[in-house]
């Protein structure tokens, strides 16, 4: 998503040129290119798929809509398995139109995880519940903190459900370091993602995630928390940023690698 | 602030017409009108001043800037005393330019409270630390949750430092009800404010607070929490909203009263 202006073949070749050995993919471009074709493309280049983004949107109350969401998430699990990644990231979904019932929406996410977790595990895929920043709680993701995400995940085995830790969503939260330790203790940090927090936020607050180093987040500090919690998996950089998307994608990817080394690399 | 398009005399007369018995004031219009003159205006109309907004912005590292901030807060205490309100609302301030040290900034707020608390209490004024929504953590308020605000407040006597509970800032937080109980148990709910959460958020995310009933917040539920915690003080409605500000202020105030009764009134 960081460089969605690149085609998948361009993305893969640029990763190879830059020495990036793994890549997180989003479903839409994968489907456009073909899931099997994408799997072959990535594998032939010697890359791994770190995660597939994203399933979720599991808060609907209407039965047909809910059934469609579950079907779509099972399809996402299948796609993840085809791509050879063990992790499907889930964004829970927001409040249904007209609802003020956050607690009920969070319970429906739990109900959906109970259905999807065994299916995912049977396909060798773990679900990573991603808490999104509280500014998305109404319209995108009723799971707002790592504590909430873990309260959900811990109802299930760790090989079924864990969490995604993204600096953009948790950097403000003074309880997040302890929650990262909690997640690590039960093997539930299923991915770790970086994005920086820059202000002012754009209208709609979706596409203003900052390039690493441009904002207020101490990337090395957060990397330290997940590593102290035992995380040894890949570190993803996931930026949604209109300014970055308008630039040359290869240049943005090279810049991102350089920023990663500068701000998040081991010294 | 909800109807900042009204002059203070218009505001006061409209409150009287509508049967609103107390009003929260902001420093800027009070200073323009004159603090003593405002006190006389409000008192002559039989109104009380519920709170004065706002002091704070206590996170600077530079000594001269810090001294200026403390002076300004002492002046705000004086103004609150002149107006006859017992509560000064504080917004802590964001990160200094270039800083990534949230923890340090929060500690500087505590240091400032240690200086300001006794001064305020000596003038019959309590400080209300207002946690702002985490989307403001970088540039406006490093105190993002009721738990953080109480961790700060509890270092001091309750007649010096408590918290402001504003639905707009805490509605997403599943730990907030327990924190409201915690605040109530030590007599630290110094004000309770209502605003609704509507999306999409506007650029800069400052002026999109929804009219009561337009968004996802269950006002009666939150009123229930503060009342169960023993709060018997005034309930303020504080909206920052470009659309409301562009309308006739008297009409907006009448609408706000009607919405309050409909969505937050005792049934």
């Amino acid at each position: 998503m960081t460089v969605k202006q690149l085609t998948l073949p361009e993305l893969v070749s640029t990763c190879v040129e830059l020495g990036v050995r793994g890549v997180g993919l989003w479903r839409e471009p994968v489907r456009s290119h073909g899931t099997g074709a994408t799997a072959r493309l990535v594998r032939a280049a010697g890359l791994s798929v770190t995660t597939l983004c994203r399933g979720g949107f599991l808060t609907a109350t209407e039965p047909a809509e809910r059934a469609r969401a579950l079907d779509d998430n099972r399809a996402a699990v299948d796609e993840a398995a085809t791509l050879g990644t063990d992790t499907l990231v889930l964004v829970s979904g927001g409040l249904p139109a007209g609802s003020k019932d956050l607690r009920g929406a969070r319970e429906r996410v739990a109900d959906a995880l109970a259905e999807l977790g065994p299916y995912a595990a049977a396909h060798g895929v773990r679900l990573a519940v991603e808490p999104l920043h509280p500014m998305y709680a109404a319209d995108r993701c009723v799971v707002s903190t790592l504590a909430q995400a873990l309260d959900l995940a811990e109802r299930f085995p760790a090989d079924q459900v864990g969490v995604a830790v993204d600096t953009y969503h948790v950097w403000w939260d003074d309880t997040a370091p302890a929650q990262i330790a909690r997640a690590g203790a039960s093997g539930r940090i299923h991915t770790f993602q970086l994005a920086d927090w820059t202000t002012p936020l754009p209208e709609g607050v979706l596409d203003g995630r900052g390039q690493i180093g441009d904002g207020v987040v101490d990337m090395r500090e957060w990397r330290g928390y997940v590593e102290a919690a035992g995380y040894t998996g890949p570190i993803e950089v996931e930026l949604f940023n209109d300014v970055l998307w308008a630039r040359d994608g290869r240049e943005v990817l090279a810049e991102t690698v350089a920023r990663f080394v500068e701000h998040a690399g081991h010294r």
Side-chain angles (χ1 to χ4, degrees), chain A:
Chain A
M1 186 52 71
T2 302
V3 285
K4 70 173 183 181
Q5 62 271 55
L6 296 181
T7 65
L8 276 172
E10 287 169 347
L11 172 66
V12 166
S13 66
T14 310
C15 282
V16 170
E17 283 161 28
L18 292 166
V20 175
R21 295 189 307 269
V23 60
L25 297 178
W26 276 57
R27 292 179 72 197
E28 293 71 14
V30 168
R31 285 182 155 185
S32 299
H33 191 78
T35 309
T38 303
R40 289 188 293 277
L41 171 74
V42 173
R43 200 168 301 145
L47 290 181
S48 66
V49 179
T50 51
T51 62
L52 180 64
C53 284
R54 60 191 182 185
F57 296 90
L58 301 166
T59 51
T61 45
E62 205 269 306
E65 197 182 337
R66 183 168 174 79
R68 270 196 305 276
L70 289 170
D71 282 347
D72 184 57
N73 277 273
R74 280 184 284 262
V77 167
D78 298 344
E79 292 157 23
T82 300
L83 292 169
T85 176
D86 62 359
T87 303
L88 174 65
V89 176
L90 301 187
V91 171
S92 72
L95 290 168
S99 170
K100 299 176 198 269
D101 182 13
L102 262 183
R103 219 176 340 241
R106 287 172 182 150
E107 258 331 289
R108 288 194 296 282
V109 175
D111 293 345
L113 292 174
E115 295 199 40
L116 295 172
Y119 182 88
H123 290 74
V125 175
R126 313 171 303 179
L127 306 175
V129 177
E130 180 165 13
L132 258 53
H133 191 284
M135 69 187 176
Y136 301 116
D139 54 356
R140 187 156 298 259
C141 186
V142 295
V143 179
S144 301
T145 62
L146 274 172
Q148 290 172 357
L150 284 164
D151 287 348
L152 286 168
E154 287 175 355
R155 301 189 195 188
F156 310 98
D159 69 342
Q160 289 185 14
V161 188
V163 300
V165 178
D166 185 322
T167 57
Y168 191 76
H169 299 303
V170 306
W171 75 275
W172 59 272
D173 182 359
D174 61 345
T175 72
Q179 296 299 323
I180 287 172
R182 172 185 166 194
S186 58
R188 290 182 199 271
I189 304 176
H190 287 354
T191 184
F192 176 48
Q193 302 179 329
L194 307 183
D196 215 335
W197 182 272
T198 54
T199 55
L201 295 166
E203 184 184 356
V205 301
L206 277 178
D207 301 332
R209 300 196 197 177
Q211 176 61 280
I212 306 303
D214 282 350
V216 299
V217 181
D218 185 331
M219 298 295 164
R220 218 167 250 121
E221 178 185 345
W222 290 95
R223 180 175 184 175
Y225 294 136
V226 299
E227 291 186 347
Y231 183 73
T232 57
I235 303 178
E236 302 180 300
V237 178
E238 186 187 63
L239 311 179
F240 291 55
N241 187 307
D242 286 326
V243 176
L244 295 179
W245 288 332
R247 289 171 48 194
D248 177 80
R250 290 163 189 267
E251 183 189 299
V252 171
L253 200 47
E255 174 187 281
T256 302
V257 169
R259 292 295 190 93
F260 181 94
V261 171
E262 183 183 352
H263 295 280
H266 278 302
R267 280 192 277 223

